[in-house]
Amino acid sequence: MATPYDYIIVGAGSAGSVLAERLSANPNHHVLLVEEGGAANWLSLMPKGYGKLLFDPGFSHYYPTSPGDGAHAPQEVWARGRMLGGSSAINGMVWTRGVPADYDSIEASGNPGWGWSEMLRVFRAIENHHLGASDYRGAGGPVTISTNPHKARLTDAFIAAAAGTGLNVKQDQNGPDQEGVGYAQWNIDARGRRVSAARAFLDPARKRPNFTIRSGVRVDRVIVENGHAVGIAGVENGAPVEFRTAGEVILSAGGLMSPKLLLLSGIGDAAALSALGIDVKHHSPNVGRRLREHLVLMLSFRLKQWQDSDNREYSGVRLLANVLNYLVAGKGPMARGAAEAIAFVRALPGAGRPDAQLMFNPYSMSPAGGMKFEDEPGMQVYSFILRPESEGSLQLTSADPQAPLNVNPNYLATERDRATAIAATRAIRRIMAEPALADLVVGETAKTAGAQTDEDILGLYDRFGGAGYHAVGTAGMGPNDDDVVDSRLRVRGVTGLRVADCSVFQQIPSGNTNAPAMALGWRLAELIEEEAR
Ligand SMILES: Cc1cc2nc3c(=O)[nH]c(=O)nc-3n(C[C@H](O)[C@H](O)[C@H](O)COP(=O)(O)OP(=O)(O)OC[C@H]3O[C@@H](n4cnc5c(N)ncnc54)[C@H](O)[C@@H]3O)c2cc1C
């Protein structure tokens, strides 16, 4: 029998890594962190290395979707990180935290301890912001945050064009007011290296005698005895393996895998589980339901001059030169995150606060798909609505842990979501029509330019929309009996079991989800310490 740990954490991603580091900072806790993937390689350190890692099953999990009839999106395959650092080791490194109202509304829904005053304190503790500490930013924390240092005339023109539509120009994307436009902020350090959750939290902690990391172990279920979680069961090198805990199991396997593990462990909709022959431990109908995801639509624009476009920088001799330049100097296109400038806009008339995020890049992807770029100079701007109402779901297709999930995003299922999505696309076009860009831009490319009516724009989402990689809600936190976890992230109906990752957010915090997931891991560690005291 293996050592009985106090805390077994499943998944070394954004939330799990932070939680493991924080809990193991207390020498009285024996913490085991179990991860299916292995160590990240140099491509994860190099920001643009995600262009390769995303297509490598050694470093990514894949979840095909089944959108169903009439859905506003094509069939897609969602990727997630599969290594120490999880999706933070493969993501676009855009650092946005959401806004006070996101967290205050979590608290107001009956979840004490998750309001902005607590979460701002946590974000400030996590950050090592290059702009220094302020009421809104942290300095000296484990995650270095930089503002895109690549000042380019096209990016400046995009920012000026957005300002021309009435937006404020912001120096700090995470400052007091979200509405506005500015250079992106990234969790990339001064030498151009990604700061993943593994680098920031696991590397400094891995030598602690009370902390064990087991990578290469795929967890298949939680072992529940007499209504209590006593351990986990999985597979290591093809052989079954079990780990036992004297304390708790905490699932941090991400917004898709944590609910899958709950379902495989008999926690979910009783009828659906029984139909698959799974022994029901607790009827919890919303496991895997209430899934919310950002739906992204990219518009590409032809540029007048090659000097403004990076389209040639990621192939052939230029790619080699850029990788070399990166390795020697830590600079150039390989050192940059997924968006160079970001605008938060009120797209829908009457919106009280930003409802859409627009991301600018000095390159344009080929309509052929994959990681191919247009062979003419181009740029792109993509949008997503910040707080979608539409709810999708995921379900088991079999009791076999290796069987694929049935994931139905159910995007744009409400009138408000459709209207906001259309308005977000129009917001991009308003910016791109501003005089500030006229000297540099020819116009929108043929793939989307003809779609001008509301119906046509919705049709673009149907054909070309894709996930923003921010799925939440599948093990939602709340005070009601049918919320999967309570405000201390304890799974209802089974003791000794919690979920700590994006699954527990009932709404997507307004922006990208890496920083919120890290903050969630940190906050749960505080709550657990409080309970232990
Ligand atoms: C391609 C991509 C781009 C993104 N870009 C950005 C961005 O620019 N900015 C931003 O803020 N957010 C971005 N995101 C989103 C953000 O990275 C994620 O929301 C966040 O990292 C999720 O954290 P998590 O802790 O919920 O899960 P994850 O970080 O996904 O961690 C889950 C971990 O659990 C492991 N795991 C899963 N199943 C098992 C199992 N059965 N057994 C053992 N281990 C298991 C996984 O391998 C993984 O390491 C992006 C995501 C992706 C995928």
Side-chain angles (χ1 to χ4, degrees), residues 400-448:
D400 175 359
Q402 288 187 277
L405 284 169
N406 184 350
V407 180
N408 180 359
N410 198 32
Y411 301 117
L412 305 187
T414 72
E415 186 50 44
R416 198 206 71 177
D417 283 0
R418 287 191 290 276
T420 315
I422 293 164
T425 295
R426 293 200 191 285
I428 296 176
R429 287 176 170 162
R430 265 200 307 281
I431 292 172
M432 294 305 297
E434 281 288 312
L437 281 160
D439 287 346
L440 307 181
V441 175
V442 180
E444 191 173 331
T445 59
K447 180 178 169 187
T448 54

Side-chain angles (χ1 to χ4, degrees), residues 270-446:
L273 294 176
S274 300
L276 294 174
I278 295 172
D279 184 22
V280 177
K281 303 289 185 191
H282 179 67
H283 172 61
S284 184
N286 287 317
V287 176
R289 299 206 181 121
R290 299 174 170 174
L291 182 158
R292 297 194 190 200
E293 172 58 299
H294 285 145
L295 177 60
V296 166
L297 181 67
M298 283 186 190
L299 302 186
S300 294
F301 298 84
R302 183 67 57 243
L303 294 175
K304 292 184 176 166
Q305 294 183 38
W306 265 115
Q307 74 175 91
D308 295 310
S309 179
D310 280 356
N311 278 359
R312 295 185 299 196
E313 301 302 325
Y314 301 105
S315 59
V317 179
R318 282 172 188 265
L319 172 62
L320 279 180
N322 286 330
V323 172
L324 261 180
N325 178 33
Y326 174 79
L327 293 174
V328 173
K331 292 190 173 15
M334 308 313 287
R336 295 186 218 136
E340 306 243 345
I342 302 178
F344 288 92
V345 301
R346 281 183 283 162
L348 212 52
R353 58 179 170 127
D355 54 7
Q357 184 169 339
L358 317 182
M359 312 268 271
F360 157 83
N361 268 314
Y363 54 73
S364 52
M365 309 310 293
S366 157
M371 274 286 162
K372 299 210 164 42
F373 296 83
E374 290 190 309
D375 47 21
E376 290 180 75
M379 59 165 277
Q380 70 190 21
V381 188
Y382 59 94
S383 62
F384 49 86
I385 64 177
L386 284 171
R387 294 172 299 281
E389 300 172 330
S390 307
E391 293 185 349
S393 64
L394 58 83
Q395 291 167 314
L396 294 181
T397 55
S398 154
D400 175 359
Q402 288 187 277
L405 284 169
N406 184 350
V407 180
N408 180 359
N410 198 32
Y411 301 117
L412 305 187
T414 72
E415 186 50 44
R416 198 206 71 177
D417 283 0
R418 287 191 290 276
T420 315
I422 293 164
T425 295
R426 293 200 191 285
I428 296 176
R429 287 176 170 162
R430 265 200 307 281
I431 292 172
M432 294 305 297
E434 281 288 312
L437 281 160
D439 287 346
L440 307 181
V441 175
V442 180
E444 191 173 331
T445 59

